[in-house]
Amino acid sequence: MGTIRELTKRERFQLDLWLKSEGITLNWRSRRDTYSDVRPVAEILKKICPSIRLEFYPTVSSFSRRLQNWEVFSYRVLKKLGLRLKKSDLKQLAEGRTGAIDWVLLNVFSQEEVPPTMWSVCKGYGAWSS
């Protein structure tokens, strides 16, 4: 998987459509302030993978703790979903950099099928439903 980048207009439309269907609002402020922390992202992904244990990702405010949470989440969840992020990508997520969370969500939800590593923990949902 590539590095975090700005979404194209088509990708932005696809993501916005999915978010709207799920009742999730991402504005410029929530993208930076709320979704720089792993906990809200884990709550979104828990809809697909009910086995995600939210207690592993407490809400934190300091950059170093947010980065640590992203590292753990990347290892425990994102990697199994086929999304391998570099340290620089995790820093962008923890900083709340514009477009970072959008790229991650788009890449997770645009997969055509659940990767074999997640078969036992994910259910058919959204882009993964058959």
Side-chain angles (χ1 to χ4, degrees):
M1 195 69 34
T3 187
I4 289 178
R5 61 168 175 77
E6 189 173 335
L7 301 182
T8 65
K9 288 182 182 182
R10 183 173 183 263
E11 291 170 331
R12 164 80 46 217
F13 177 76
Q14 181 182 4
L15 178 64
D16 289 343
L17 194 62
W18 183 86
L19 292 170
K20 185 176 180 181
S21 75
E22 294 299 316
I24 300 167
T25 302
L26 292 183
N27 57 42
W28 69 271
R29 186 177 182 131
S30 68
R31 282 177 166 97
R32 183 193 73 220
D33 297 342
T34 304
Y35 295 99
S36 62
D37 188 19
V38 168
R39 178 66 180 236
V41 178
E43 290 171 352
I44 291 172
L45 295 183
K46 189 169 176 65
K47 292 179 178 184
I48 299 170
C49 302
S51 70
I52 292 175
R53 298 187 54 196
L54 297 177
E55 64 270 14
F56 290 140
Y57 314 107
T59 301
V60 295
S61 58
S62 73
F63 172 77
S64 61
R65 292 292 310 274
R66 286 193 316 257
L67 180 58
Q68 183 180 33
N69 273 356
W70 275 110
E71 289 169 346
V72 171
F73 189 69
S74 177
Y75 179 77
R76 288 189 172 174
V77 177
L78 298 178
K79 183 176 165 186
K80 292 177 183 173
L81 291 172
L83 191 60
R84 292 183 175 14
L85 299 177
K86 300 175 184 173
K87 181 80 167 181
S88 61
D89 296 331
L90 298 174
K91 283 183 179 179
Q92 288 182 48
L93 287 162
E95 290 170 348
R97 186 159 183 161
T98 304
I101 191 58
D102 299 331
W103 185 88
V104 169
L105 290 175
L106 179 73
N107 278 279
V108 169
F109 291 112
S110 65
Q111 293 182 27
E112 293 189 18
E113 60 184 48
V114 177
T117 55
M118 293 300 280
W119 284 349
S120 63
V121 293
C122 293
K123 61 181 181 178
Y125 189 86
W128 289 340
S129 59
S130 340

